[in-house]
Amino acid sequence: MIPAAGLGTRFLPATKELPKELLPVLDRPVIQWAAEEAVASGADEIVLVLAEGKEALAAHLRPDPALERLLEERGKTAELEAVRRAGNLCRITVARQASPRGLGDAVLCAAGAVGDRTFLCMLPDDLSLAEPPVLRQLWDAHERLGTPILALMRVPSDQISRYGCAEIAESRGKLHRVSGVVEKPPAAEAKSDLAVMGRYVLTPAIFPALRETAPGALGEIQLTDAIGRLLATGEVWGVEFEGELLDVGTPAGWLATNMRLGRGHPEFQSAFASIDAGDA
Ligand code: UTP
């Protein structure tokens, strides 16, 4: 499940008309990076949660026979292959969120499409730079433990107030049993330096938990609150994943990620080399 019905206010004015998930990172939009990670992690279907006006996200991940025909006629083989790849990663299902009532509400909007399945949930604001991908590491942890799994990342203690913070009951190496999650705690009150990142394995029990979760100050339903409710009836574990998540949900993060990936990319590194040499 990819919740992508948010407003993208941190990226205005770029996102006034264009969804942030369609901004390119190198040669492909953010949503394709997310879908490729999901498929590389074993997903065979993606449920996209979309707001009105964001239908192009689903269109990007579905076949485009007219464009394919045109590229074929013109002998643009490499381009045709790239277009076919983007449109045939896996089955795409769309769920709608009527108004931006928060991440928890967005997940709940996909309940019908997900049904009685345990599922991976990912926020496309971060790209996985990891082998195996971060989502796959979470799924592997789920196969060992059988519980919901959170992606955990250690952060400097003065930065924990920007994240959801996990309270830990027990640790087995990089696996941690979570006893609570507090959204953006003041640094002095944080129970750990483990931040909860936007990748999850969730069980269908999350849906009744979300229905019972009252909206917070801005009328938004927090996924974190519903995960807290799951702790009353069963275990939730977190995995301190190997590798990195790269921010593409803010202008500064998006720029830095493009530069970081571009410098190491066979097709684009010469463009960066020319900038570094001062001749651009
Ligand atoms: P964010 O909190 O980053 O919000 O949402 P946003 O709208 O994407 O961006 P900013 O903060 O305004 O710049 C985290 C994830 O939850 C989804 C977003 O699309 C993003 O993937 N989301 C958020 C929804 O699907 N619906 C919502 O009502 C809120």
Side-chain angles (χ1 to χ4, degrees):
M1 176 196 299
I2 306 183
L7 295 171
T9 54
R10 286 170 298 165
F11 227 129
L12 284 167
T15 48
K16 180 169 172 279
E17 296 299 322
L18 181 73
K20 66 178 173 184
E21 296 84 359
L22 289 178
L23 292 169
V25 172
L26 303 188
D27 61 350
R28 65 201 65 186
V30 164
I31 193 64
Q32 187 175 339
W33 287 91
E36 285 174 352
E37 181 189 346
V39 170
S41 303
D44 57 8
E45 178 184 2
I46 291 175
V47 177
L48 280 177
V49 184
L50 299 179
E52 204 185 320
K54 295 186 91 173
E55 293 77 13
L57 270 70
H60 181 81
L61 297 174
R62 286 179 171 148
D64 185 340
L67 177 59
E68 287 174 28
R69 216 174 306 119
L70 207 104
L71 292 170
E72 205 162 10
E73 281 165 17
R74 298 188 178 184
K76 298 212 172 260
T77 321
E79 292 83 351
L80 176 62
E81 201 182 306
V83 164
R84 281 204 177 126
R85 181 176 155 68
N88 291 283
L89 286 167
C90 69
R91 194 168 135 214
I92 304 298
T93 304
V94 171
R96 305 263 164 210
Q97 187 185 26
S99 60
R101 295 182 62 223
L103 173 59
D105 180 64
V107 171
L108 189 51
C109 289
V114 170
D116 197 24
R117 293 181 281 183
T118 293
F119 61 101
L120 294 159
C121 175
M122 70 186 304
L123 310 189
D125 273 351
D126 288 316
L127 304 193
S128 161
L129 189 62
E131 195 43 56
V134 176
L135 268 189
R136 179 75 228 182
Q137 295 180 42
L138 265 54
W139 190 254
D140 288 345
H142 171 74
E143 287 190 325
R144 276 176 67 184
L145 297 162
T147 67
I149 307 285
L150 312 181
L152 300 177
M153 182 177 84
R154 285 199 192 276
V155 298
S157 49
D158 61 337
Q159 286 177 29
I160 192 73
S161 56
R162 291 201 236 145
Y163 298 90
C165 171
E167 188 174 342
I168 304 303
E170 163 193 358
S171 296
R172 295 184 202 159
K174 302 262 175 177
L175 295 172
H176 306 279
R177 185 159 64 80
V178 174
S179 52
V181 184
V182 179
E183 203 49 58
K184 302 188 173 73
E189 290 168 29
K191 298 278 203 261
S192 78
D193 61 352
L194 288 167
V196 178
M197 306 301 289
R199 300 261 188 305
Y200 314 81
V201 177
L202 296 170
T203 56
I206 196 68
F207 299 122
L210 282 164
R211 285 188 196 100
E212 287 162 15
T213 302
L218 297 168
E220 294 198 344
I221 298 174
Q222 302 290 348
L223 181 61
T224 309
D225 293 347
I227 290 171
R229 283 178 177 272
L230 293 182
L231 292 166
T233 51
E235 293 188 357
V236 174
W237 283 73
V239 57
E240 226 181 298
F241 58 82
E242 303 283 344
E244 285 178 79
L245 289 174
L246 307 180
D247 175 33
V248 291
T250 62
W254 177 84
L255 270 171
T257 297
N258 270 287
M259 291 178 68
R260 172 104 183 257
L261 297 180
R263 284 184 199 283
H265 191 283
E267 195 181 334
F268 303 111
Q269 61 191 179
S270 60
F272 283 98
S274 69
I275 295 172
D276 294 339
D279 56 348

